[in-house]
Amino acid sequence: MGKKFYITTAIDYANDVIHIGHAYQKVIADVIARYHRLLGQEVFFLTGVDEHGAKVQRAADAKGFDPQNFVDKISAEDQRQLSLLNVVPDRFIRTTDSDHIKKVKEFWLKVKEKGDIYLADFHGLYCEGCEEYKTESDLVDGHCPYHPKLKIEELQEKNYFFRWSKYKDFLKQHILSHKDFLRPEASKKEMLSFLNQDLKDISISRQKQNVSWGVPVPGDSKQTIYVWFDALINYLTGAPQDFWPADLHLLGKDNTRWHALLWPAMLKSAGYLLPRTIYSHGFLSLNGQKISKSLGNIIRPQELVDKFTSDGARYVLVGCKSLADDGDMSWQKITNTYNADLANGLGNLVARLAKLCQLSKLEFIVKAPDFSQVAVGEYQRKMEDYRLNEVLGFIWGKIKTVDRYLNQEKPWEIKNKTRLRSSLQKAVVHVLEIAVLLAPFLPQTSEKIKKIFIGKEIVSCSSLFPRIKND
């Protein structure tokens, strides 16, 4: 494992404030970033917003805002929502940032100098919801499967094209020869299947009269750069040069084609190294429906935090599904999980043990172990394979083990002080290990547990997670 670790998330469209579907990805990334920091690595964690394109331009128009003022408000609120979840990126990038605009123009010129950009007529299908060009085979009953209520636009313009087809064989070979480049396996198979079809060159600009809200094409002020070509470059803009290539691009599976096929081709053309791993995670749905701004069935991060606290919200998000697969949430499921695992599980154990230690009137000399000492074996393997929900299951197995130990030992019945101290101290040591292992997931709770049990005198405490009624 290298000394540096660079992790990115997808950057979210600034047409509206993020919801828990976006927050899921950001919390996962924050957990992974914290894990690598705790191992002593130098970490750079990048997230942000995609502020250009027709989708954002029309959202601003609908609200009666100038596009820049509109994205300023959305960006500020997105950052506030993430901070409530204790998501702490090293940079929150905005595609309107001056250094990003400069980088995009430099990148464009590098690709053009390679001979991979040319001007031609474009005629095709476009989904504004995805900000993507579509083929007939991508559509279901003439509609985008991700935005079925939006009308597919037929575009006809003279645009600049990127020679994507030139990199077909390179992409296929790279995916096949680098086993961790594209994950999970289902995404790899899907992209290889796509490459077995004709990979056509892609339009990477729009006429300014149709999409004015974007980075101007260098040398042609009548065109703006296609929002995806612009947005993907944020991963280069966002981190110090010595962190590239990225160790992990984390994104939703609807963005796989652009990250796994277009982005690597762009990088190859411009002369950059490719990211080490691109991970396309499954969707999070709500009550069996896709979470969608257009459908209005959304939960904001603040709503979760207000009800379950920051750490409680992080727990239910990370634990709700495996990263690779789709998963469904509901307020009832979330509340049941919170009560069972946090209020009755972890919270009850900590309060119970602290009370037993206080009643014993004994002094305990303990300290929390170093993270690198305990983040080993199964915990380490699952973390580095991005099976974060299974890591939580592993930790909760340890919680249950300590509970069983207390039930078997029955320290409340032990009269011998030496034996009682040994019995309780063993439980305290195990709980402190649990606290350390929880640090990437529940950072505030981890610190609270350490403060309770480190010190000669342990006193009883209120529950870390008060039980919540299911509405």
Side-chain angles (χ1 to χ4, degrees):
M1 190 181 291
K3 292 182 180 179
K4 284 184 167 64
F5 187 83
Y6 178 27
I7 179 172
T8 76
T9 72
I11 54 174
D12 301 310
Y13 286 125
N15 65 319
D16 198 359
V17 179
I18 59 170
H19 54 63
I20 58 169
H22 307 104
Y24 169 80
Q25 180 187 95
K26 277 52 175 180
V27 171
I28 291 287
D30 185 77
V31 170
I32 295 168
R34 287 175 186 271
Y35 167 76
H36 285 278
R37 282 197 192 96
L38 286 164
L39 288 175
Q41 291 181 284
E42 193 178 349
V43 173
F44 201 94
F45 167 26
L46 180 74
T47 190
V49 281
D50 183 359
E51 297 183 327
H52 288 134
K55 187 174 182 177
V56 174
Q57 184 175 320
R58 290 185 186 177
D61 290 343
K63 296 283 186 180
F65 280 100
D66 169 81
Q68 187 63 60
N69 291 335
F70 179 75
V71 296
D72 287 347
K73 290 178 183 292
I74 296 295
S75 174
E77 182 58 18
D78 279 0
Q79 290 179 74
R80 190 184 75 82
Q81 293 282 335
L82 291 179
S83 69
L84 293 171
L85 287 164
N86 207 1
V87 171
V88 187
D90 293 283
R91 178 172 177 182
F92 186 91
I93 193 168
R94 302 175 58 187
T95 54
T96 56
D97 289 342
S98 59
D99 64 336
H100 177 68
I101 292 172
K102 181 182 177 184
K103 190 72 175 181
V104 169
K105 290 179 178 180
E106 289 174 355
F107 193 101
W108 177 282
L109 291 173
K110 285 182 179 181
V111 176
K112 187 178 181 182
E113 287 168 13
K114 187 73 174 285
D116 288 341
I117 292 177
Y118 62 93
L119 191 63
D121 290 325
F122 171 74
H123 180 264
L125 306 172
Y126 193 78
C127 171
E128 187 184 295
C130 297
E131 291 277 24
E132 290 176 11
Y133 302 103
K134 300 291 184 181
T135 64
E136 290 286 355
S137 61
D138 291 329
L139 306 180
V140 177
D141 297 327
H143 292 87
C144 170
Y146 301 121
H147 301 93
K149 292 190 175 183
L150 293 182
K151 184 180 178 181
I152 292 293
E153 299 178 61
E154 283 199 44
L155 301 181
Q156 190 162 359
E157 297 183 349
K158 185 174 284 291
N159 297 142
Y160 289 93
F161 281 72
F162 170 62
R163 296 187 193 279
W164 200 7
S165 59
K166 174 181 172 180
Y167 295 94
K168 177 178 177 177
D169 291 340
F170 163 75
L171 291 167
K172 189 171 183 178
Q173 182 58 35
H174 190 83
I175 292 170
L176 290 171
S177 61
H178 295 77
K179 67 180 182 68
D180 290 328
F181 177 68
L182 185 51
R183 299 187 59 196
E185 192 64 27
S187 292
K188 182 185 293 186
K189 289 178 180 177
E190 183 186 352
M191 292 305 103
L192 288 171
S193 175
F194 185 81
L195 286 172
N196 285 332
Q197 306 167 28
D198 285 336
L199 187 63
K200 292 180 171 61
D201 293 349
I202 183 171
S203 170
I204 55 169
S205 74
R206 295 292 307 276
Q207 290 189 4
K208 194 169 185 178
Q209 64 187 22
N210 295 323
V211 182
S212 60
W213 184 237
V215 180
V217 168
D220 189 345
S221 60
K222 293 181 180 179
Q223 303 244 2
T224 55
I225 296 174
Y226 174 43
V227 64
W228 268 104
F229 196 93
D230 160 10
L232 288 164
I233 298 167
N234 92 88
Y235 303 130
L236 281 173
T237 310
Q241 285 186 356
D242 58 345
F243 275 87
W244 190 261
D247 292 276
L248 177 64
H249 283 328
L250 184 65
L251 51 123
K253 64 181 182 180
D254 53 335
N255 294 333
T256 306
R257 190 181 302 175
W258 311 111
H259 285 80
L261 301 183
L262 179 59
W263 178 226
M266 288 167 58
L267 289 167
K268 180 68 174 174
S269 175
Y272 291 94
L273 294 173
L274 271 58
R276 294 188 177 94
T277 298
I278 296 167
Y279 199 113
S280 304
H281 65 75
F283 287 142
L284 185 60
S285 60
L286 183 63
N287 296 314
Q289 280 190 308
K290 181 179 183 290
I291 301 173
S292 168
K293 294 172 184 175
S294 58
L295 290 175
N297 64 330
I298 57 176
I299 298 174
R300 304 289 185 202
Q302 179 160 9
E303 294 177 76
L304 273 190
V305 173
D306 285 348
K307 187 167 184 178
F308 302 108
T309 75
S310 176
D311 275 6
R314 288 171 67 96
Y315 179 82
V316 296
L317 284 171
V318 176
C320 70
K321 71 181 194 70
S322 68
L323 189 59
D325 300 322
D326 293 342
D328 187 60
M329 298 184 84
S330 69
W331 279 111
Q332 184 174 347
K333 284 181 185 176
I334 297 168
T335 306
N336 289 344
T337 297
Y338 169 93
N339 283 333
D341 294 352
L342 297 177
N344 296 345
L346 177 62
N348 182 63
L349 172 62
V350 169
R352 180 189 187 194
L353 183 56
K355 183 69 172 177
L356 287 169
C357 290
Q358 180 182 358
L359 291 173
S360 74
K361 298 180 181 179
L362 296 169
E363 292 184 353
F364 300 89
I365 302 173
V366 292
K367 66 176 184 177
D370 291 336
F371 185 77
S372 59
Q373 289 179 311
V374 293
V376 295
E378 184 178 351
Y379 180 96
Q380 181 184 31
R381 288 193 299 274
K382 291 181 185 297
M383 281 295 298
E384 294 178 10
D385 198 35
Y386 307 123
R387 290 182 285 161
L388 274 62
N389 65 320
E390 293 183 25
V391 178
L392 287 177
F394 172 78
I395 296 171
W396 255 253
K398 288 182 172 292
I399 291 170
K400 291 174 183 175
T401 297
V402 178
D403 258 328
R404 284 196 298 270
Y405 169 79
L406 289 174
N407 290 337
Q408 291 165 0
E409 282 285 293
K410 299 180 180 178
W412 53 89
E413 294 181 358
I414 299 174
K415 304 300 181 186
N416 182 284
K417 286 191 175 182
T418 302
R419 189 183 157 211
L420 179 59
R421 180 184 285 107
S422 175
S423 178
L424 289 174
Q425 187 154 308
K426 184 176 179 180
V428 169
V429 167
H430 285 303
V431 167
L432 284 172
E433 180 183 327
I434 288 166
V436 171
L437 293 175
L438 279 173
F441 300 89
L442 313 182
Q444 295 174 346
T445 303
S446 175
E447 289 303 310
K448 286 178 183 177
I449 294 172
K450 285 189 273 188
K451 284 181 181 179
I452 291 167
F453 292 105
I454 295 174
K456 291 183 179 179
E457 202 173 317
I458 298 172
V459 296
S460 62
C461 59
S462 57
S463 176
L464 295 171
F465 297 98
R467 188 172 176 80
I468 293 174
K469 289 184 179 178
N470 212 330
D471 297 332

